[in-house]
Amino acid sequence: MKRKHAIVAICYLMLGVVATLSAGAQATPRIKFEKYKLPNGLEVILHEDHSTPIVAVDTWYHVGSGDEQVGRTGFAHLFEHIMFMGSQNVPVGAFDQMLEAAGADNNGSTTEDRTNYYETLPSNALALALWLDADRMGFLLPTMDLAKVNLQRDVVKNERRQRVDNQPYGRADETILAVLYPKSHPYSWPVIGSMTDLSAASLADVQNFFRTYYAPNNATLTIAGDFDPATVKKMVAQYFGSIPRGPEVKRRLTVPAVTIPRDTFLVLEDKVQLPRVFYTWHSVKGFSPDDAALDILAQVVANDKNSRLYKKLVYELQTAQNVRAFQDGSRLDGKFQIDVTPKPGQKVADIDRVVQAEIANVINNGITQRELQRAQNLYKASFLNRLASVLGKAEVLNSYNYFVGNPDYVQQDAARYDRVTAADVQRVARTYLGRPKIVLTVVPEGKKEMMLTASGGGR
Amino acid sequence: MKLQTTHVLGCAAMLLASQSIAAQGTFDRSKPPELGPPPRVALPPIITRQLPNGLKLLIVEQHELPLADFVLVVGSGSTADPTGKPGIANLTSQMLREGTTTRKSLEIADQIAFLGINLSPNSSWESSTLSLHTPTAQLDSALALFADVALHPSFPANEFDRIKKTRLTELLQLRDQGPAIANLAFPAIVYGSSHPYGLPSIGTEASVQSLTPADLQAYYQTNFKPNNSTLIIVGDVNPAQIEQKINSLFGSWQRGDVQPLNYGEPAKAAATTIYLIDKPGAAQSSFRIGSVGVPRSTKDYFALTVMNTILGGSFTSRLNQNLRENRGYTYGAGSRFDMRRQAGPFLASAEIVTAKSDSALIEFMKELNGIRQTVPPAELSRAKRYLQLQLPGNFETTQEIAAALVPVALYGLPLDYYNNYVQNIENVNQADVARVAQQYINPGSLAVVIVGDRKTIEQGLKAVNVGPISVRDITGQPIQ
């Protein structure tokens, strides 16, 4: 496990650390990288790390479910599946067979904002990954047919069944999104899409989507690991350089305004033993000024045994089975959510009173320095953990490159969390959790009367 | 939202396609690149030590990041649950973080968060583990907490009362999840209730209700002994210094006799039978098909690993190709041999769209029969390469290295086990694969456990005619 010049540690001062324990002494390392662009617009980011003889190839296409058209929800993700079905020089099935025979792990994923494809493989096989990825970037359509689309349509419908329809509380998310955001908002539908829309996807849709979004000028290729940069640059130029530039992609920069004039109460019946209440507030997009403070607020409110709601509801009163909270800051917009599951026989209205009181307590009285420090230290450790693998580092570079326009941002990102003050957390709690919210109660089938309402409800 | 793709074969079309399109750009894109030889992998050396009280240490240095991982592996798990009290090992592990002789539950949670560490107790069939993942800047404080939680748990009655209520609610919530029901019913049916592998390691409602802190204390006192344990240490540490620290923290841990377990016999395998568990309205049917498999000590380990990779151990395996990539019946299908001290289960599994339950059963049986025939050389070679060449990727992070050492600690694998892994896989040939498939996969005596919407799927399953249908409750017991 030799180390060459993979990571350069840079220290920075931590302000306001209470030094009763040694926490907080660890600086977040910087990732050394080189970034350049091919004439056809493909962005390339290289990061050398020779500690293990493996390399990660991680391609981000700057398209996600937020770019879908009405009536075609789920298409970006369905398309992601189709990208593994072979291309002009790669027969159906050969993509995964060749990679497995070379000892690779590979996969892809789709979010509202972007789609990624990655391979982690022994360093001798880097050329194979580049050849395969170039072929599907440049030459997907010549061998595309409806049979490929139909097959992956069935697979994706089963993915939806497994993650959503056959999953307790699985439909909560799409139910909330449809009410939280206006219909024209790119986050108002789920990434997985609806069964109806998945059924409607056509071969022409695949062709149009490819021509619109899957061009080198709408992608970033990040390679991290054990390679020789001069050799890799030649290979990248050879495999990707002749893929023609596509039309300019107009990336959406704004979203429709979100207005929730008053608390909105929803109910969803599901095959569950216990109800679950989801509170959702419209908040802010990722990396915007209040985003980090909202992340810290989520830690303080739930997620840990000492957090406000967990301690009160699960630990002390023991009226709830579980409670969670998170800030979800995506590229264009964000939401803050708390969900709580009552123990058998407990009324959601009683739980709700505690939730409201604890939120009011944070808004009115703020949080302690210790609460702040715990949340900050968890974030600090998580930054370090993301850098443990070459794929993790490739994802970090791609993510910052896309979301803030600078791959070299891990230290600035970590610093965002160090700068948050207790007063910031109180302020964002007041600002965002003081707003009207969407309240969804998922109830056992036939038990709609269990739902939480403005007047309490929840018999 | 993950996932991928693929189809299998279509050879004639392949050749045509690759010939007709030659060069795009300035080179011949139609040919995959020639790859050089795979990198030689030197797996990190493992340093072994033993404290006077019998605690073994396995130490691996990895200085890439200022992080370290510690896993205390205690060689007793759910199989050591006293008769009639399933769930004790699991709940004992969970209670380690709920109080020590000098720290209260909330204090422990406060320190974990404040230090920015992970401190996770866990239990499996054969072991109980306590894992610590820490930045080295916090090493001394983190290790002190780790040792306190491992050595001085106090099992407070009020905390256990809360943990019990939480567990009882979890057992209730399991009814919501077809896959979880299938995972519990399958071993209950295959092993029966007189073998520990047939009992639920998370406990039953009755057993959890009956347990007291004294039960957990007794389990802890009997099994958590240094001479029954190994401490794995991986990361940015100096071996001599860390040994000293461990000695000062764990040196006073008292050794004690741990009796070997008497496992009893698994239920005798019946002729292939479908065990149908009703989950009204389920969108998918949860398939678990299998039998008693092999222990980790089997001489056929490498042949079985290769055979299972071909059958259901990788994305391009036969089960996944057939059920997912050729037919679209599922999001993923696979198989595995769960090897333990005794013969753990072999099982093939998938979540299948309700309407295709009968068709999927046909395909499952086709593959379970087909793997007993000679495997084509190209398929064998691909599986072997996959296993061999992936090895270095499993030793990248401190957590991965620590995880790879757990079976070394638990099953006494030789220290050069991973160094010889590539050669041992290489030695597996077609005849070996066919022999172990025929020996260990017996389509005539499989338990076919299916949790799904009975009224929709029962007739179709019956018509497939692989065996009689026995309708079971969610614990796998016959419905009278």
Side-chain angles (χ1 to χ4, degrees):
Chain A
M1 298 289 156
K2 256 203 222 159
R3 175 178 157 192
K4 274 193 173 171
H5 46 99
I7 287 177
V8 183
I10 293 187
C11 297
Y12 58 94
L13 264 181
M14 295 270 313
L15 301 172
V17 176
V18 185
T20 50
L21 283 166
S22 59
Q26 206 99 46
T28 303
R30 196 171 174 185
I31 312 174
K32 199 177 168 188
F33 70 96
E34 181 182 355
K35 178 177 166 182
Y36 64 98
K37 211 176 240 194
L38 297 188
N40 61 9
L42 177 67
E43 278 188 318
V44 183
I45 300 172
L46 305 178
H47 164 70
E48 273 185 86
D49 171 358
H50 300 280
S51 57
T52 308
I54 60 175
V55 60
V57 178
D58 184 30
T59 309
W60 276 42
Y61 288 91
H62 305 152
V63 58
S65 63
D67 298 293
E68 290 160 356
Q69 302 301 310
V70 175
R72 290 294 183 276
T73 64
F75 191 81
H77 170 247
L78 173 60
F79 188 91
E80 177 221 309
H81 277 238
I82 291 168
M83 283 282 277
F84 294 83
M85 295 292 281
S87 45
Q88 181 155 341
N89 299 298
V90 182
V92 174
F95 188 92
D96 287 290
Q97 288 180 350
M98 294 172 94
L99 284 172
E100 283 191 2
D105 259 341
N106 80 96
N107 212 333
S109 73
T110 309
T111 72
E112 294 86 346
D113 299 318
R114 66 35 168 195
T115 311
N116 78 346
Y117 301 87
Y118 64 81
E119 299 90 21
T120 305
L121 67 184
S123 44
N124 71 305
L126 173 57
L128 175 66
L130 296 176
W131 175 76
L132 288 167
D133 279 332
D135 212 60
R136 61 180 173 175
M137 180 186 284
F139 313 99
L140 185 78
L141 292 185
T143 56
M144 184 52 55
D145 58 29
L146 190 60
K148 291 185 182 183
V149 182
N150 285 340
L151 192 278
Q152 287 307 318
R153 189 199 319 275
D154 285 346
V155 172
V156 169
K157 284 182 172 179
N158 272 309
E159 183 177 354
R160 188 191 145 92
R161 290 183 189 104
Q162 196 167 321
R163 292 181 191 277
V164 178
D165 302 311
N166 213 38
Q167 189 68 243
Y169 314 98
R171 287 174 298 139
D173 201 36
E174 61 191 29
T175 306
I176 293 162
L177 296 176
V179 180
L180 178 68
Y181 295 119
K183 264 195 170 53
S184 57
H185 193 292
Y187 299 164
S188 65
W189 57 87
V191 175
I192 192 80
S194 72
M195 285 293 192
T196 311
D197 289 0
L198 288 169
S199 296
S202 70
L203 181 59
D205 291 330
V206 171
Q207 291 160 338
N208 291 335
F209 200 81
F210 180 80
R211 292 191 183 110
T212 307
Y213 295 111
Y214 276 73
N217 46 308
N218 196 42
T220 305
L221 169 67
T222 296
I223 304 170
D226 178 33
F227 59 82
D228 167 58
T231 313
V232 161
K233 282 180 196 172
K234 269 185 222 153
M235 283 200 279
V236 168
Q238 183 179 37
Y239 291 125
F240 292 89
S242 63
I243 298 172
R245 176 186 282 273
E248 280 311 304
V249 179
K250 271 229 172 100
R251 199 173 304 168
R252 185 199 271 271
L253 296 174
T254 58
V255 285
V258 175
T259 44
I260 300 163
R262 66 192 69 80
D263 284 353
T264 305
F265 294 86
L266 310 170
V267 65
L268 176 69
E269 295 180 69
D270 199 359
K271 296 181 203 318
V272 292
Q273 307 291 322
L274 299 173
R276 180 175 294 169
V277 186
F278 296 79
Y279 302 86
T280 311
W281 293 263
H282 180 233
S283 64
V284 296
K285 62 184 179 182
F287 297 99
S288 60
D290 289 340
D291 175 51
L294 283 161
D295 276 334
I296 300 273
L297 175 64
Q299 290 293 328
V300 170
V301 167
N303 300 341
D304 167 63
K305 211 182 272 171
N306 285 292
S307 62
R308 298 292 177 99
L309 287 175
Y310 192 97
K311 188 174 169 189
K312 183 64 86 177
L313 287 167
V314 183
Y315 189 82
E316 289 175 5
L317 298 173
Q318 299 177 25
T319 53
Q321 176 71 357
N322 202 6
V323 57
R324 301 175 296 189
F326 62 87
Q327 147 72 2
D328 171 24
S330 291
R331 188 173 73 87
L332 297 167
D333 218 334
K335 62 179 187 288
F336 189 96
Q337 192 171 85
I338 296 173
D339 74 74
V340 52
T341 309
K343 280 231 158 61
Q346 297 296 327
K347 292 182 176 131
V348 294
D350 295 337
I351 301 272
D352 180 64
R353 268 189 290 280
V354 178
V355 171
Q356 300 310 329
E358 287 299 323
I359 292 172
N361 191 9
V362 172
I363 290 175
N364 296 327
N365 305 313
I367 66 166
T368 67
Q369 200 59 34
R370 184 78 177 181
E371 287 177 301
L372 175 67
Q373 194 67 58
R374 280 197 305 252
Q376 286 176 321
N377 289 349
L378 280 174
Y379 268 95
K380 189 181 303 299
S382 76
F383 279 104
L384 205 51
N385 292 335
R386 289 162 70 196
L387 306 180
S389 69
V390 287
L391 180 61
K393 287 192 281 187
E395 277 286 292
V396 163
L397 290 166
N398 256 334
S399 174
Y400 292 133
N401 183 60
Y402 181 51
F403 290 110
V404 300
N406 175 14
D408 188 16
Y409 200 75
V410 64
Q411 290 183 315
Q412 288 97 310
D413 195 9
R416 288 197 303 149
Y417 293 87
D418 290 331
R419 278 197 305 269
V420 171
T421 64
D424 288 332
V425 176
Q426 184 177 10
R427 178 179 53 76
V428 297
R430 180 184 300 130
T431 304
Y432 300 100
L433 273 51
R435 289 174 171 177
K437 59 193 174 291
I438 310 294
V439 183
L440 167 69
T441 315
V442 178
V443 299
E445 283 176 335
K447 301 265 178 69
K448 276 190 177 173
E449 69 277 9
M450 288 176 104
M451 84 177 278
L452 194 64
T453 63
S455 58
R459 297 300 101 194
Chain B
M1 297 294 151
K2 290 215 164 171
L3 248 282
Q4 349 176 305
T5 329
T6 318
H7 237 127
V8 120
L9 300 200
C11 291
M14 275 167 55
L15 289 172
L16 279 177
S18 55
Q19 288 311 310
S20 60
I21 312 112
Q24 297 122 352
T26 56
F27 71 106
D28 184 0
R29 233 179 237 286
S30 69
K31 293 190 176 52
E34 299 276 337
L35 303 184
R40 286 190 65 81
V41 180
L43 297 175
I46 304 167
I47 299 166
T48 60
R49 293 284 184 271
Q50 188 159 18
L51 303 193
N53 61 10
L55 178 65
K56 292 181 281 294
L57 310 183
L58 298 176
I59 308 171
V60 172
E61 289 182 72
Q62 213 264 33
H63 299 287
E64 204 182 325
L65 287 169
L67 290 170
D69 276 85
F70 296 78
V71 184
L72 180 67
V73 182
V74 177
S76 304
S78 296
T79 52
D81 281 347
T83 307
K85 294 186 172 179
I88 286 194
N90 181 285
L91 289 164
T92 300
S93 282
Q94 209 182 330
M95 283 295 292
L96 294 181
R97 278 193 310 196
E98 297 295 341
T100 69
T101 48
T102 54
R103 288 175 167 92
K104 292 188 185 310
S105 174
L106 291 180
E107 289 172 53
I108 294 169
D110 171 77
Q111 291 189 20
I112 289 170
F114 190 74
L115 294 168
I117 61 175
N118 298 334
L119 182 63
S120 320
N122 222 321
S123 69
S124 70
W125 291 104
E126 315 294 1
S127 71
S128 302
T129 57
L130 182 66
S131 304
L132 168 67
H133 176 74
T134 180
T136 45
Q138 271 74 257
L139 186 63
D140 287 348
S141 305
L143 271 182
L145 183 61
F146 176 72
D148 189 34
V149 164
L151 302 183
H152 309 295
S154 58
F155 304 101
N158 61 326
E159 308 294 356
F160 185 53
D161 185 55
R162 172 176 55 83
I163 293 287
K164 266 169 76 165
K165 284 185 200 154
T166 302
R167 173 55 52 86
L168 290 169
T169 305
E170 284 166 359
L171 290 171
L172 176 71
Q173 289 185 295
L174 277 178
R175 294 160 186 264
D176 295 346
Q177 306 159 43
I181 293 169
N183 289 341
L184 284 174
F186 174 78
I189 289 166
V190 168
Y191 285 90
S193 56
S194 59
H195 192 285
Y197 296 161
L199 301 172
S201 57
I202 54 172
T204 62
E205 197 183 323
S207 70
V208 173
Q209 290 281 17
S210 75
L211 295 180
T212 65
D215 289 321
L216 306 196
Q217 187 74 253
Y219 179 91
Y220 176 85
Q221 290 302 342
T222 307
N223 297 294
F224 278 64
K225 296 294 177 195
N227 45 307
N228 190 31
S229 304
T230 302
L231 179 57
I232 296 165
I233 303 168
V234 181
D236 190 15
V237 295
N238 172 301
Q241 284 172 6
I242 200 71
E243 187 190 348
Q244 222 169 23
K245 283 185 208 284
I246 296 302
N247 208 353
S248 70
L249 289 166
F250 288 84
S252 59
W253 193 7
Q254 292 298 309
R255 69 161 64 226
D257 285 340
V258 181
Q259 297 301 322
L261 296 171
N262 181 6
Y263 282 80
E265 289 300 311
K268 217 173 140 47
T272 294
T273 302
I274 297 172
Y275 300 93
L276 180 56
I277 298 168
D278 194 16
K279 181 86 169 61
Q284 290 179 318
S285 301
S286 303
F287 277 64
R288 304 290 183 274
I289 303 177
S291 59
V292 174
V294 294
R296 181 60 183 80
S297 58
T298 174
K299 290 190 168 53
D300 290 324
Y301 178 83
F302 295 101
L304 280 164
T305 300
V306 172
M307 185 272 285
N308 186 64
T309 300
I310 296 167
L311 174 63
S314 71
F315 189 85
T316 70
S317 68
R318 292 178 177 190
L319 284 169
N320 195 57
Q321 283 305 305
N322 183 341
L323 289 158
R324 172 182 158 135
E325 292 294 313
N326 291 348
R327 296 175 202 277
Y329 294 165
T330 180
Y331 180 51
S335 64
R336 68 191 166 98
F337 283 82
D338 187 350
M339 301 184 197
R340 307 170 184 169
R341 282 215 184 90
Q342 300 284 307
F346 159 72
L347 84 159
S349 61
E351 305 302 313
I352 299 287
V353 57
T354 298
K356 297 294 182 188
S357 299
D358 49 354
S359 308
L361 180 56
I362 293 170
E363 300 306 321
F364 263 113
M365 296 308 291
K366 197 157 90 187
E367 298 303 345
L368 292 167
N369 277 295
I371 193 66
R372 292 159 57 92
Q373 311 301 312
T374 302
V375 168
E379 198 179 5
L380 174 63
S381 158
R382 188 174 76 235
K384 285 164 66 171
R385 292 297 212 87
Y386 179 63
L387 290 166
Q388 292 169 323
L389 295 172
Q390 273 209 331
L391 192 65
N394 297 335
F395 287 82
E396 191 186 7
T397 69
T398 53
Q399 277 166 312
E400 287 168 340
I401 297 170
L405 293 184
V406 170
V408 173
L410 195 53
Y411 299 115
L413 306 181
L415 291 179
D416 60 1
Y417 171 77
Y418 290 108
N419 292 316
N420 297 328
Y421 184 87
V422 169
Q423 186 57 49
N424 280 320
I425 293 291
E426 192 55 40
N427 294 344
V428 175
N429 61 34
Q430 272 178 306
D432 296 328
V433 169
R435 179 180 59 76
V436 296
Q438 286 162 18
Q439 185 174 343
Y440 298 111
I441 297 178
N442 297 300
S445 54
L446 292 170
V448 180
V449 176
I450 301 174
V451 181
D453 185 25
R454 180 183 172 188
K455 70 177 184 323
T456 311
I457 64 178
E458 184 171 9
Q459 285 313 311
L461 293 174
K462 194 175 283 176
V464 174
N465 210 21
V466 302
I469 293 183
S470 170
V471 178
R472 298 294 175 110
D473 67 17
I474 61 165
T475 66
Q477 302 310 307
I479 290 176
Q480 298 307 325

